[in-house]
Amino acid sequence: MQQTRDALHDFTTRYCDSWQRRTGHAPASQALAGVPSPCIVATQPDEVWWQPQPFTLPATLEAVERALDITLQEALTALYTTQFAGDMTARFEQQELTLLQVWSEEDFLRLQENLIGHLVMKRRLKQTPTLFIAATASEQEIISLCNLTGEIILEQPGTKSRTVLAENLEIFLTNLQPVTGSLADNG
């Protein structure tokens, strides 16, 4: 888990530094304006500026594991329980994406409910359990962690279509490149 936490911290630092260089301020989000979070460092008329903050809840996704009687990859737990932060836009090779993060304690509860719903759908379709970690520009594709192998995959929910992007989450995070242009302006 520590390698994943370190890779997430490294990417987050690169992301925040990129924002600072480009804009002269912390990362900004219009989508999160008005949504309480310990990450908010400034409130502007139509956006909030944020900085990552330490995760203050127990660092576990036990509720998801209990609900589905499943053991989750430790890397996934590390991704979602290392910090509170805004979602971060990035590129992995040619794939633009939004790395999902937990914004607040309330958001963490919502995330767990969504992970449970996703796993229930996968089970109903008799497909390998995956857990989403990033959104793409296409509503038809998401980036997920395969719970059996630990691989990071591009998948189309509801289908068997999947492409392996990285051997594991640490490699994926290490190779992410921050995107702080127009893609980043949506939150």
Side-chain angles (χ1 to χ4, degrees), residues 148-183:
L148 298 182
T149 65
E151 294 171 326
I152 304 305
I153 60 169
L154 179 67
E155 68 173 335
Q156 295 176 356
T159 74
K160 293 187 185 220
S161 174
R162 59 192 292 166
T163 304
V164 175
L165 300 177
E167 185 179 323
N168 59 46
L169 186 53
E170 178 188 355
I171 291 169
F172 179 77
L173 292 170
T174 300
N175 288 289
L176 279 183
Q177 295 304 312
V179 173
T180 54
S182 60
L183 177 67

Side-chain angles (χ1 to χ4, degrees), residues 91-161:
R91 184 174 295 109
F92 181 85
E93 296 174 355
Q94 301 307 310
Q95 180 69 55
E96 290 195 348
L97 60 102
T98 301
L99 184 68
L100 304 176
Q101 288 288 279
V102 175
W103 182 240
S104 64
E105 290 186 8
E106 295 78 22
D107 191 34
F108 185 62
L109 296 174
R110 195 168 27 260
L111 169 77
Q112 291 178 88
E113 291 168 0
N114 290 337
L115 288 171
I116 290 168
H118 181 78
L119 286 167
V120 166
M121 175 197 69
K122 296 298 256 178
R123 189 173 279 176
R124 199 172 302 135
L125 295 172
K126 297 182 178 14
Q127 293 178 351
T128 304
T130 62
L131 299 121
F132 53 82
I133 62 164
T136 67
S138 167
E139 292 182 17
Q140 306 301 314
E141 296 179 319
I142 59 173
I143 296 174
S144 299
L145 180 144
C146 176
N147 200 54
L148 298 182
T149 65
E151 294 171 326
I152 304 305
I153 60 169
L154 179 67
E155 68 173 335
Q156 295 176 356
T159 74
K160 293 187 185 220
S161 174

